[in-house]
Amino acid sequence: MLIFLDSANLDEIRKALQLFPIDGVTTNPTILSRTGEQDPAALLKEIRKTVDDGLLFAQVTSHDTDAIIDEAKKLVKLLGAQTVIKIPVTAATLEAMIKLNAKGIHICATAVYTVTQALMAAKAGAEYVAPYVSHIDGQAIDGPELAIRMQETITNYDLDTHVLGASFRTVSQVEKLMAGGVDSATVTFDMLEKLASSAGTAAEVDSFDRNWKHLYGDKSIGDFI
Ligand code: G3P
């Protein structure tokens, strides 16, 4: 299971790397623009340094094949060969995916809305296909179910591609993907906290504390060793 932080906020990234078992950071033009940073290349470079040996996903902003390939090469030169280049899936971007894959550049086909888009991108050499689960839900289609179907289809054809679930609003959405065999997800910092928390556990901890303090007061178990 691969879990990524979907953010370009350096403070959030540093905190998430310290607190949670994440495998790297994913970014896109919206996430970069939200930081207000006037030099997105410099910000990506700083994120690269912060993420250390974790994976970094960076998205192209052009739409035609030659420009996408040029940008992908520049991003890899700037951020390193392990960088995963995000490319939205359209009929016009598969050629760039095929050519970049042939050059050994790692591709994430992003903003995926259908099983056939996921399949075509996987066949074009994408190592990751990223369905926008909440946006799909917003179209009155079951987003988690569709993401699971993408994974099942890719697995059926023995394609070496991860479905990277993206755009979550609830823990339940993430849980459904994980239970359904989707092995990667990128989530916000707030969602990372929610994935690790529950009201039930908080209540149990309160109960542990109450019962402990009833007999031992403010001493910790360490005070008895
Ligand atoms: O990785 C995709 C994600 O950034 C989309 O975000 O808030 O539009 O669901 P959002």
Side-chain angles (χ1 to χ4, degrees), residues 3-222:
I3 296 182
F4 300 98
L5 173 68
D6 203 24
S7 174
N9 178 309
L10 283 166
D11 290 340
E12 259 187 7
I13 292 170
R14 290 188 187 100
K15 210 169 155 190
L17 288 165
Q18 180 189 341
L19 296 176
F20 302 107
I22 59 173
D23 299 285
V25 167
T26 60
T27 66
N28 64 36
T30 302
I31 283 175
L32 286 171
S33 67
R34 278 184 193 145
T35 67
E37 171 57 54
Q38 292 304 316
D39 183 347
L43 176 55
L44 283 168
K45 189 78 179 161
E46 201 53 41
I47 294 172
R48 172 67 276 164
K49 278 190 257 175
T50 305
V51 175
D52 195 17
D53 59 359
L55 278 179
L56 174 58
F57 292 61
Q59 187 163 324
V60 296
T61 58
S62 292
H63 304 293
D64 70 77
T65 298
D66 291 343
I68 289 172
I69 291 172
D70 181 55
E71 281 186 9
K73 285 180 178 174
K74 283 180 176 177
L75 284 166
V76 166
K77 189 175 178 197
L78 177 74
L79 304 171
Q82 290 313 307
T83 305
V84 183
I85 303 300
K86 294 174 79 175
I87 304 173
V89 185
T90 70
T93 61
L94 292 176
E95 178 188 2
M97 291 184 201
I98 292 165
K99 288 180 175 175
L100 288 168
N101 178 59
K103 294 176 187 297
I105 290 179
H106 304 286
I107 302 295
C108 171
T110 191
V112 176
Y113 276 71
T114 69
V115 173
T116 53
Q117 279 183 310
L119 201 54
M120 294 293 277
K123 272 201 52 70
E127 288 176 49
Y128 299 86
V129 292
Y132 277 24
V133 173
S134 289
H135 296 203
I136 294 169
D137 270 349
Q139 296 189 341
I141 299 168
D142 185 323
E145 192 277 328
L146 191 66
I148 292 167
R149 217 158 73 234
M150 288 176 192
Q151 185 65 68
E152 287 168 347
T153 305
I154 284 167
T155 304
N156 283 348
Y157 291 104
D158 203 23
L159 291 162
D160 189 17
T161 299
H162 297 273
V163 173
L164 171 62
S167 179
F168 296 101
R169 298 291 181 273
T170 66
V171 169
S172 167
Q173 288 172 323
V174 182
E175 192 181 305
K176 283 178 185 170
L177 262 72
M178 290 179 178
V182 173
D183 75 353
S184 306
T186 188
V187 300
T188 61
F189 187 90
D190 291 349
M191 183 56 77
L192 281 174
E193 291 181 313
K194 289 175 185 168
L195 292 179
S197 313
S198 73
T201 306
E204 296 296 347
V205 169
D206 287 346
S207 171
F208 294 145
D209 290 349
R210 269 195 315 278
N211 295 328
W212 177 268
K213 288 183 190 299
H214 177 68
L215 183 57
Y216 304 114
D218 291 335
K219 285 187 176 179
S220 75
I221 186 67

